Amino acid sequence: MKMGTEKQTYLNYINGEWIHSSTGKIEASLNPANIDDIVGYVQESGVEDVNVAVEAARRAQAAWRKLSGPKRGEYLFRAADVLEKRLDEIAETMTREMGKTLPEAKGEVQRGVNILRYYAGEGMRSIGEVIPSMDSEALMFTTRVPLGVVGVITPWNFPVAIPIWKIAPAIVYGNTVVFKPAQETAVTAAKIVECFDQAGLPAGVVNLVTGKGSVIGNAIAEHPHIHGITFTGSNEVGKTIAQKAVARGAKYQLEMGGKNPVIVLEDADLDRAVEATISGGLRSTGQKCTATSRVFVQSSIYESFKEQLLAKIKQLKIGDGLKEGVWMGPCASRKQLETILSYIEKGIEEGATLLCGGRRLVDGELGNGFYIEPTVFENVSPNMTIAREEIFGPVLSLIKVDTFEEALALANDTPFGLSASIFTQNIGKMLAFIQDIEAGLVRINEESAGVELQAPFGGMKQSSSHSREQGRAAIEFFTAIKTVFVKG
Ligand code: NDP
């Protein structure tokens, strides 16, 4: 086994071996807080590498699926222990590779550990049910079987938690995996796979291939021997994956964007609503699919909410996420920075009022990274681009509303439906919100971002392909049901 040290070249992991890609090409993974800092070099693989990885995963399938669930779970417990031991190191790599602050990165690695333990336990839980047959002498039951080889395609914003919440259930239910992480966070991904390797996972059960999504992600989507694809990322790419999967009858699961609203009513605890709007909207530089984006505030409290919000935002410390006391790090990449800046420009062009922020930060050492000011707009109308498209950056739009009903209608006026929150003390409004908001995650007096690993996660409308990840819900995607009828 080849272990990772900083600035080394990270390899693909296929059939239990760390190997160079067939293309011979490598790419530097840069620190978005300081582009002179190279985190490591990663493989820029080609289609042939995917083919070899799929073959390895297919070969490993036969023995892996025959292991009992509890036995498979033991490997996950071991991987959790290894990841826990390497928590500080992997969190630091994550911060250097995609910019989120070190405390957030540590929290995410700990979440990865917890997810592994949760799904390790899942290996012992029920995988079917007995259903009474019309024939009193027969036994009718369901049992769940793995899909086969699963392709795991993940983004850069949660480079530990998302891969683990896909890989852990995939393998505990008996699938084998070809994992393609976002190239921006491929070093972090290699370290996760090192943990599986150190845990003694049999060769071929988890395979890592790094490279461009348009090349190897596409090859995974089209590969005839990949039976299921689980993807998190943009709607644009998600849709193409779905089309390819449908064309060849493969199962797919997509978790995509959000345009998440928070509604603040006049009876809300204002301090709490302000804190939650800042945390939900700006933490991780707004690069969460559950991040708050549109803030609907009742007119009677609008001015005081705005004043408090802007005052608190001014105090946020922006800088290298490795440094103590920093609250918000850089954008994850130059591409992401440019996308966010172009949305801000569009907001101004279309007539929204910029209340704060809006610019790239370039003073002193910030000039070497992809930093951006936290940004707040007002006078945002529902048809503006910044009110409709996912920005994936630290940008909030304040929208004044007269009533709860108006807020609800506007909150639902979006193609997305991932997360939504409301701040109120009124139980009737809370219940109406739970009933009528079009979102897969509904949060009352709590920020829009935040998921617990033991509960189902996913969105409505264009935010997902309507299946759910995490918790017990994961079994629905990663297994197929057999209905069995037995007569003696
Ligand atoms: P992408 O959807 O492009 O990337 C997500 C993953 O898909 C990456 O591993 C990527 O590979 C891969 N990929 C890219 N193209 C293809 C393809 N044709 N076939 C198969 N896989 C592919 O997201 P970006 O990183 O470019 O971010 C763009 C926007 O997407 C963001 O601004 C944000 O709005 C949204 N997004 C949403 C996320 C969420 O959590 N819902 C997460 C990330 C992004 P690679 O990056 O290596 O090329």
Side-chain angles (χ1 to χ4, degrees):
M1 182 189 69
K2 240 187 195 163
M3 289 288 302
T5 54
E6 303 301 65
K7 309 239 170 154
Q8 80 168 53
T9 298
Y10 291 81
L11 305 179
N12 286 338
Y13 181 73
I14 298 177
N15 203 29
E17 301 284 332
W18 293 96
I19 56 175
H20 290 272
S21 81
S22 62
T23 62
K25 289 191 207 159
I26 56 168
E27 214 183 324
S29 179
L30 303 180
N31 180 347
N34 170 14
I35 50 168
D36 295 333
D37 177 24
I38 293 173
V39 184
Y41 294 91
V42 296
Q43 304 300 303
E44 196 184 318
S45 310
V47 173
E48 180 51 27
D49 301 299
V50 172
N51 293 340
V52 176
V54 174
E55 246 337 280
R58 279 184 80 190
R59 278 197 308 274
Q61 242 286 292
W64 184 247
R65 67 183 292 152
K66 285 216 164 75
L67 278 188
S68 67
K71 275 267 169 256
R72 291 194 294 257
E74 282 171 19
Y75 288 102
L76 272 70
F77 276 125
R78 284 206 282 275
D81 292 344
V82 177
L83 183 62
E84 195 166 44
K85 279 201 191 93
R86 295 182 61 183
L87 188 148
D88 288 340
E89 169 220 338
I90 294 180
E92 190 184 316
T93 302
M94 187 194 314
T95 296
R96 281 179 62 209
E97 211 174 20
M98 58 71 68
K100 76 173 60 170
T101 64
L102 193 57
E104 281 186 88
K106 284 185 181 175
E108 184 179 334
V109 180
Q110 184 59 53
R111 173 134 66 112
V113 171
N114 298 346
I115 295 168
L116 282 165
R117 294 200 172 122
Y118 176 88
Y119 284 108
E122 195 57 19
M124 291 197 182
R125 294 193 194 99
S126 152
I127 50 160
E129 57 183 345
V130 174
I131 301 159
S133 166
M134 295 296 281
D135 182 341
S136 60
E137 288 171 8
L139 172 66
M140 187 160 71
F141 63 96
T142 61
T143 183
R144 287 180 179 270
V145 294
L147 301 178
V149 179
V150 170
V152 171
I153 303 178
T154 57
W156 41 263
N157 61 335
F158 286 94
V160 167
I162 295 177
I164 291 181
W165 85 47
K166 292 174 186 296
I167 293 172
I171 63 178
V172 87
Y173 297 128
N175 302 285
T176 54
V177 162
V178 176
F179 169 34
K180 183 257 169 289
Q183 191 69 339
E184 266 131 11
T185 48
V187 173
T188 308
K191 291 191 173 194
I192 300 172
V193 174
E194 283 173 3
C195 293
F196 283 113
D197 184 48
Q198 285 176 284
L201 198 73
V205 174
V206 171
N207 303 276
L208 170 76
V209 186
T210 65
K212 285 196 169 67
S214 53
V215 179
I216 60 167
N218 186 54
I220 287 172
E222 290 183 337
H223 202 292
H225 294 127
I226 289 199
H227 309 103
I229 303 155
T230 173
F231 165 85
T232 300
S234 64
N235 282 64
E236 199 189 349
V237 172
K239 274 181 203 156
T240 69
I241 289 177
Q243 280 158 358
K244 283 166 189 156
V246 166
R248 58 184 187 78
K251 202 169 175 183
Y252 64 91
Q253 175 181 60
L254 314 173
E255 282 306 333
M256 301 172 288
K259 194 68 195 166
N260 310 298
V262 51
I263 296 176
V264 186
L265 296 183
E266 56 195 2
D267 65 346
D269 176 335
L270 217 56
D271 291 346
R272 203 160 153 194
V274 167
E275 285 293 339
T277 302
I278 291 174
S279 178
L282 308 178
R283 230 180 244 288
S284 282
T285 324
Q287 300 167 130
K288 293 182 185 178
C289 49
T290 51
T292 302
S293 169
R294 298 172 300 146
V295 189
F296 299 97
V297 186
Q298 208 159 5
S299 41
S300 54
I301 54 155
Y302 183 86
E303 289 304 325
S304 33
F305 179 87
K306 178 169 104 182
E307 199 180 304
Q308 277 195 40
L309 184 83
L310 295 178
K312 284 243 157 81
I313 287 177
K314 250 194 212 135
Q315 293 164 10
L316 299 179
K317 191 166 175 211
I318 298 158
D320 184 338
L322 285 180
K323 291 197 176 148
E324 200 147 329
V326 165
W327 192 88
M328 191 176 104
C331 305
S333 65
R334 183 184 296 279
K335 182 180 149 211
Q336 199 56 29
L337 172 76
E338 285 168 358
T339 305
I340 298 166
L341 287 172
S342 75
Y343 273 114
I344 292 171
E345 219 168 280
K346 250 222 151 97
I348 296 167
E349 249 172 55
E350 292 180 5
T353 310
L354 187 64
L355 290 175
C356 73
R359 289 168 310 176
R360 180 174 180 182
L361 288 163
V362 289
D363 285 351
E365 56 186 32
L366 298 188
N368 237 12
F370 306 128
Y371 295 95
I372 192 165
E373 292 174 315
T375 301
V376 182
F377 279 106
E378 71 173 350
N379 297 321
V380 178
S381 59
N383 55 349
M384 285 182 184
T385 310
I386 56 167
R388 302 213 70 76
E389 294 182 16
E390 182 176 51
I391 300 173
F392 227 59
V395 182
L396 291 166
S397 291
L398 295 190
I399 300 159
K400 203 188 284 181
V401 289
D402 288 325
T403 62
F404 164 68
E405 289 72 22
E406 184 191 358
L408 186 64
L410 288 172
N412 280 336
D413 180 18
T414 167
F416 297 106
L418 188 51
S419 181
S421 80
I422 190 168
F423 285 82
T424 180
Q425 308 298 325
N426 182 313
I427 187 88
K429 302 233 166 83
M430 288 178 195
L431 292 174
F433 184 74
I434 294 167
Q435 199 66 39
D436 296 333
I437 191 73
E438 294 162 359
L441 303 163
V442 181
R443 317 256 301 162
I444 313 290
N445 294 321
E446 189 47 277
E447 66 173 78
S448 66
V451 292
E452 294 198 32
L453 63 99
Q454 69 277 28
F457 171 73
M460 293 169 71
K461 303 199 281 190
Q462 289 188 28
S463 287
S464 92
S465 60
H466 314 293
S467 69
R468 292 291 179 262
E469 299 191 270
Q470 305 197 66
R472 268 299 268 173
I475 199 170
E476 297 298 335
F477 177 73
F478 289 106
T479 62
I481 293 177
K482 279 185 180 170
T483 304
V484 185
F485 185 90
V486 186
K487 185 98 196 242

